[in-house]
Amino acid sequence: MHAAVTKIQVPRPGFNYTFAHICILNNDKTCIVDDIVHVLEELKNARATNRTNFAITYPITHLKDGRAVYNGHQLGGVTVHSKDRVKSAEAIQLTYYLQSINSLNDMVAERWESSFCDTVRLFQKSNSKVKMYPYTSSSLREDFQKTSRVSERYLVTSLILVVTMAILCCSMQDCVRSKPWLGLLGLVTISLATLTAAGIINLTGGKYNSTFLGVPFIMLGHGLYGTFEMLSSWRKTREDQHVKERTAAVYADSMLSFSLTTAMYLVTFGIGASPFTNIEAARIFCCNSCIAIFFNYLYVLSFYGSSLVFTGYIENNYQHSIFCRKVPKPEALQEKPAWYRFLLTARFSEDTTEGEEANTYESHLLVCFLKRYYCDWITNTYVKPFVVLFYLIYISFALMGYLQVSEGSDLSNIVATATQTIEYTTAQQKYFSNYSPVIGFYIYESIEYWNTSVQEDVLEYTKGFVRISWFESYLNYLRKLNVSTGLPKKNFTDMLRNSFLKAPQFSHFQEDIIFSKKYNDEVDVVASRMFLVAKTMETNREELYDLLETLRRLSVTSKVKFIVFNPSFVYMDRYASSLGAPLHNSCISALFLLFFSAFLVADSLINVWITLTVVSVEFGVIGFMTLWKVELDCISVLCLIYGINYTIDNCAPLLSTFVLGKDFTRTKWVKNALEVHGVAILQSYLCYIVGLIPLAAVPSNLTCTLFRCLFLIAFVTFFHCFAILPVILTFLPPSKKKRKEKKNPENREEIECVEMVDIDSTRVVDQITTV
């Protein structure tokens, strides 16, 4: 297979590039290949000549030329006998290093990588007994974007389900007062905002990534609730009012809270889109969300509001809500078929009494369910203890999960399931997790290696880290070389160049030293490179984190300028920053929101209750997320930030209505809050859950994480809105005792007397009304 890989050709006009043309060259101008290739070549030659004395040792083996090479990261699943002699190995890892020096080289290297994957797959077909997992520098990017392609048909299914549910939630048997078109137009409003944001990002040179799959669901949760809240406010208006008056009442009732929640969304995601976020994918995601939420607010204010006005005129004219034709009166439908009468069922104002006028919309299924059944049931004295008990169970399980929270560091969490990234990382963790990846130390300045004080400085900064004790041996070797010979710089560098690279105790670290000749033939050490392999545990990834952080800290504090690098550090940095930066931003957002809302709410208790509710919801989501095997990574943390806003979206109107209510009992105001806002919450929740369900079937770990986090956020918030808050608010502050107002002498009672005169002309007071 190695021979087949080295023969790969990339055709270009006038020339065919091979691995030899784009590989990284050694000092002898040959391509750098893994030492395990040389080991296998010698093993093959030994078998060909019937030599039995050649043996592979682990993790260090000796080649025929006397070099000691390290193979701990190239042999996996090793079984040894007689000390360190290899009996068998289940896996071999080969790495091919390509140059990246100009645009032409990058283009050829990219095509070579594609041909490399095809070559390995073809070789796999002809050698089915050996499993091969190719992985290149572009594999992660391609597999990350593959999530979008595999999600397409599931997103279409989700859209169909949401459209169906939105239409059903806005429909009722009364064909005049039913609003199916408003359910559909609410989704059109959200879609317009999402497409506008995507267009702006595209026109401004923004890059698409698979995290954008979460933007429509963020818009769905926020936008649908706003539209359903407007529709709920419309139901509370009187039908004998003019459409303009009804629309004004709707905007006065619902747009203030919708404006405040929109501002909170903009603040939260605006901080995420700022330079404070050091992850480009998360920053673009937050930027896209901000633009979409802003335009959604404008579209709800204008497009959806005008749609509401249009359907209001249709309702006032007693036209059918779907077909827009005039609905005949019941007496004119008596001779029509039953199905025709069913489609044109409506109540006319002259058919209803004055007391029934306010209950015109109670035939809506969800309104009827809340007013007649659920509100009385949840506030029942016998139900409350079970709800409190259930909440204690909820807190217990959430705490159990919260104590087991772990940070996500597995690449498989962000890519589609059936990809080469998953296969490669799974095999690597299975066979090569006993040793860390090879870490390169690059000293990129010309330092005085022969100077004892420089050696002492380096030793001082590396003394605290036991894993790099070989570095101390390396410098001790330099010190002994200098002390024993007492050579000046020129002779020291000559001896270093001629003898040090052959030192057996350091050859398995593959030290490379770059020399440069000056005009007087004096040789100077320009840079040096050393490699480290640490012993790690298969199940303890924190050791690798500690290794990276310690080395990075040393590179900053040491007087010698050096950098450390391994390709795996890129992903560790990604997860370290993807967890730290969003959490940092979320804390800033939470503090700003508390400060912001303190000046906007009419009562400080509203702010207190909102804060407690958000804490309870976020605590439960984090706990159950962990129990559902979801780790803290970029996607889950962004979902948690969104969960803050989603909770405020749904719970703030309920809490505001309850806290600001006066004169009645707590139970009465709990029922009133549920009747006023419960229908909108229930409608948006049903549409949201129906839209999320198809995500569970997408063959991608990214969408799986997205589904689990968003589902838990929606479920826990719904549980608080319809169970926890309605019960707890019935026996906790604020008090609802009627305040006795001081009588003012200027306030007088006017008595209206309606007198009735009987047949005998006797004056009798029949009714007395206090005004």
Side-chain angles (χ1 to χ4, degrees):
M1 191 199 70
H2 173 70
V5 168
T6 55
K7 293 177 182 178
I8 294 175
Q9 292 186 354
V10 177
R12 291 290 299 163
F15 194 78
N16 291 333
Y17 288 88
T18 64
F19 177 69
H21 297 105
I22 58 175
C23 68
I24 295 180
L25 300 177
N26 214 330
N27 291 331
D28 56 358
K29 304 302 180 182
T30 59
C31 291
I32 295 179
V33 295
D34 285 344
D35 289 317
I36 192 64
V37 175
H38 302 304
V39 172
L40 294 176
E41 287 176 349
E42 293 195 5
L43 183 61
K44 181 180 178 181
N45 294 333
R47 289 183 176 176
T49 57
N50 293 324
R51 285 191 295 113
T52 59
N53 58 346
F54 180 79
I56 303 175
T57 55
Y58 181 83
I60 298 172
T61 191
H62 295 270
L63 298 179
K64 185 172 59 176
D65 58 3
R67 287 193 303 120
V69 296
Y70 175 77
N71 57 27
H73 64 294
Q74 296 170 351
L75 287 179
V78 176
T79 303
V80 297
H81 60 79
S82 64
K83 295 184 179 179
D84 56 355
R85 184 173 178 177
V86 176
K87 181 180 180 180
S88 64
E90 297 180 56
I92 293 177
Q93 182 171 246
L94 299 178
T95 307
Y96 298 91
Y97 306 92
L98 306 181
Q99 293 182 12
S100 178
I101 54 178
N102 52 48
S103 58
L104 175 62
N105 186 268
D106 288 341
M107 181 183 63
V108 173
E110 184 177 356
R111 293 188 179 182
W112 189 92
E113 287 182 347
S114 178
S115 299
F116 165 78
C117 294
D118 295 337
T119 301
V120 173
R121 293 190 188 99
L122 289 174
F123 200 85
Q124 171 74 79
K125 291 180 180 179
S126 59
N127 298 271
S128 57
K129 293 183 179 180
V130 181
K131 293 293 182 182
M132 301 178 187
Y133 307 103
Y135 186 78
T136 66
S137 60
S138 59
S139 294
L140 181 62
R141 172 176 54 83
E142 294 172 355
D143 294 343
F144 180 64
Q145 298 294 359
K146 189 177 180 181
T147 298
S148 303
R149 297 193 295 272
V150 300
S151 303
E152 289 176 355
R153 60 190 183 96
Y154 298 97
L155 291 176
V156 172
T157 304
S158 176
L159 178 61
I160 295 173
L161 292 176
V162 172
V163 168
T164 304
M165 182 57 68
I167 292 175
L168 290 177
C169 286
C170 297
S171 300
M172 51 190 298
Q173 189 176 1
D174 193 320
C175 67
V176 172
R177 295 165 182 86
S178 180
K179 299 291 186 294
W181 286 116
L182 285 182
L184 179 61
L185 290 172
L187 290 176
V188 171
T189 304
I190 297 171
S191 302
L192 287 174
T194 306
L195 290 174
T196 302
I200 291 175
I201 291 292
N202 188 30
L203 291 175
T204 54
K207 298 178 181 178
Y208 173 84
N209 61 70
S210 292
T211 58
F212 282 15
L213 290 173
V215 175
F217 294 96
I218 289 177
M219 297 302 301
L220 189 67
H222 175 63
L224 273 186
Y225 178 74
T227 56
F228 286 142
E229 188 69 23
M230 291 181 69
L231 189 55
S232 179
S233 298
W234 179 270
R235 296 192 189 100
K236 292 183 292 183
T237 59
R238 297 201 333 264
E239 288 190 343
D240 58 352
Q241 288 180 300
H242 192 273
V243 173
K244 292 183 180 180
E245 295 177 354
R246 298 181 74 179
T247 307
V250 168
Y251 274 78
D253 186 41
S254 60
M255 287 310 294
L256 178 60
S257 60
F258 186 67
S259 300
L260 295 180
T261 54
T262 299
M264 292 181 180
Y265 270 95
L266 293 176
V267 169
T268 305
F269 287 106
I271 294 176
S274 67
F276 290 108
T277 303
N278 56 356
I279 307 170
E280 185 181 8
R283 188 165 57 247
I284 296 177
F285 172 84
C286 292
C287 182
N288 195 347
S289 300
C290 272
I291 298 174
I293 289 168
F294 175 73
F295 277 97
N296 178 74
Y297 178 76
L298 296 181
Y299 291 150
V300 168
L301 201 66
S302 56
F303 175 75
Y304 191 79
S306 61
S307 302
L308 187 64
V309 172
F310 181 76
T311 55
Y313 281 113
I314 291 177
E315 181 180 333
N316 276 13
N317 295 331
Y318 289 97
Q319 294 174 266
H320 199 282
S321 59
I322 298 177
F323 307 112
C324 300
R325 61 165 294 180
K326 190 77 173 180
V327 177
K329 292 189 175 182
E331 55 267 18
L333 294 174
Q334 297 301 323
E335 299 178 357
K336 301 293 182 180
W339 64 269
Y340 190 84
R341 294 197 303 270
F342 177 79
L343 289 177
L344 297 178
T345 301
R347 298 175 64 181
F348 288 79
S349 57
E350 51 265 29
D351 296 334
T352 59
T353 63
E354 185 177 352
E356 293 176 333
E357 180 65 28
N359 301 323
T360 308
Y361 284 97
E362 278 199 1
S363 58
H364 190 284
L365 180 62
L366 297 180
V367 177
C368 178
F369 169 73
L370 285 176
K371 283 191 174 183
R372 298 183 183 179
Y373 303 103
Y374 187 78
C375 290
D376 292 331
W377 177 78
I378 196 63
T379 54
N380 189 289
T381 306
Y382 300 102
V383 175
K384 293 179 184 179
F386 292 98
V387 175
V388 174
L389 178 62
F390 197 72
Y391 182 70
L392 294 177
I393 296 173
Y394 158 81
I395 290 294
S396 302
F397 277 92
L399 178 62
M400 182 172 64
Y402 187 83
L403 297 176
Q404 303 175 29
V405 171
S406 60
E407 298 181 16
S409 62
D410 195 347
L411 295 181
S412 61
N413 291 340
I414 60 172
V415 297
T417 304
T419 56
Q420 58 190 23
T421 299
I422 298 291
E423 297 173 348
Y424 174 80
T425 53
T426 301
Q428 190 179 52
Q429 291 175 3
K430 180 179 180 181
Y431 297 111
F432 299 97
S433 56
N434 289 335
Y435 290 91
S436 73
V438 178
I439 303 167
F441 283 80
Y442 304 89
I443 299 178
Y444 56 93
E445 66 172 347
S446 179
I447 62 174
E448 299 177 349
Y449 289 89
W450 57 90
N451 193 322
T452 307
S453 61
V454 174
Q455 300 168 6
E456 293 295 338
D457 289 338
V458 178
L459 283 174
E460 179 181 353
Y461 289 102
T462 59
K463 193 178 298 181
F465 194 44
V466 296
R467 287 192 182 90
I468 54 176
S469 58
W470 64 269
F471 196 69
E472 182 175 354
S473 302
Y474 169 66
L475 293 177
N476 284 332
Y477 180 83
L478 294 179
R479 187 187 298 108
K480 290 178 182 179
L481 186 63
N482 189 34
V483 173
S484 61
T485 58
L487 296 174
K489 172 185 174 182
K490 182 179 185 306
N491 294 341
F492 175 84
T493 53
D494 288 341
M495 181 173 290
L496 179 66
R497 181 174 57 177
N498 296 328
S499 63
F500 175 70
L501 295 177
K502 297 180 180 179
Q505 64 268 42
F506 299 109
S507 58
H508 60 277
F509 290 113
Q510 305 175 20
E511 282 87 0
D512 291 336
I513 296 181
I514 301 175
F515 298 94
S516 67
K517 287 187 177 182
K518 296 184 178 180
Y519 63 92
N520 56 356
D521 291 335
E522 182 180 350
V523 179
D524 194 11
V525 180
V526 178
S528 62
R529 179 180 67 175
M530 296 150 283
F531 291 89
L532 161 71
V533 179
K535 180 73 174 178
T536 58
M537 296 297 292
E538 183 174 353
T539 58
N540 192 1
R541 291 176 295 196
E542 285 75 12
E543 288 190 2
L544 213 51
Y545 293 151
D546 296 338
L547 176 64
L548 172 60
E549 291 302 321
T550 304
L551 294 176
R552 179 179 286 122
R553 193 163 51 248
L554 290 176
S555 67
V556 174
T557 58
S558 176
K559 293 181 180 179
V560 178
K561 297 180 181 179
F562 70 90
I563 57 176
V564 291
F565 179 75
N566 181 275
S568 62
F569 287 175
V570 177
Y571 310 120
M572 292 182 204
D573 280 340
R574 172 188 175 88
Y575 279 96
S577 57
S578 67
L579 180 61
L583 284 178
H584 179 261
N585 294 339
S586 64
C587 292
I588 297 176
S589 303
L591 292 175
F592 186 86
L593 290 178
L594 292 177
F595 177 80
F596 184 65
S597 59
F599 295 95
L600 297 176
V601 296
D603 195 312
S604 58
L605 274 176
I606 298 177
N607 207 5
V608 173
W609 275 111
I610 289 176
T611 304
L612 293 176
T613 305
V614 168
V615 171
S616 178
V617 170
E618 290 290 290
F619 181 75
V621 170
I622 294 175
F624 284 97
M625 184 178 72
T626 305
L627 295 178
W628 208 354
K629 297 180 180 179
V630 177
E631 297 179 329
L632 282 179
D633 55 20
C634 181
I635 304 300
S636 58
V637 171
L638 286 174
C639 289
L640 290 174
I641 296 174
Y642 164 67
I644 298 174
N645 295 281
Y646 184 83
T647 305
I648 295 175
D649 244 347
N650 290 270
C651 297
L654 281 174
L655 292 169
S656 299
T657 302
F658 174 82
V659 172
L660 297 178
K662 304 295 180 184
D663 297 341
F664 295 105
T665 62
R666 293 193 184 100
T667 302
K668 174 64 178 176
W669 276 110
V670 165
K671 291 181 179 179
N672 187 39
L674 283 176
E675 290 173 2
V676 172
H677 303 288
V679 176
I681 297 173
L682 195 56
Q683 285 175 323
S684 62
Y685 175 78
L686 291 174
C687 294
Y688 195 66
I689 291 298
V690 165
L692 282 178
I693 288 175
L695 283 185
V698 178
S700 171
N701 292 327
L702 186 148
T703 52
C704 180
T705 300
L706 189 68
F707 164 75
R708 293 182 179 184
C709 292
L710 294 180
F711 177 82
L712 286 174
I713 289 170
F715 179 77
V716 174
T717 303
F718 178 81
F719 173 62
H720 278 73
C721 287
F722 282 91
I724 301 303
L725 289 177
V727 169
I728 292 180
L729 290 175
T730 56
F731 54 81
L732 289 179
S735 176
K736 297 297 178 183
K737 292 182 179 179
K738 185 177 181 180
R739 298 176 182 175
K740 295 182 180 180
E741 298 182 357
K742 295 181 180 180
K743 290 186 178 181
N744 193 333
E746 297 181 358
N747 294 337
R748 299 178 180 179
E749 294 181 349
E750 299 180 0
I751 307 300
E752 177 186 359
C753 299
V754 180
E755 299 180 347
M756 302 294 294
V757 181
D758 59 4
I759 299 177
D760 299 331
S761 298
T762 305
R763 291 184 176 273
V764 179
V765 178
D766 180 73
Q767 182 179 358
I768 300 178
T769 306
T770 302
V771 182

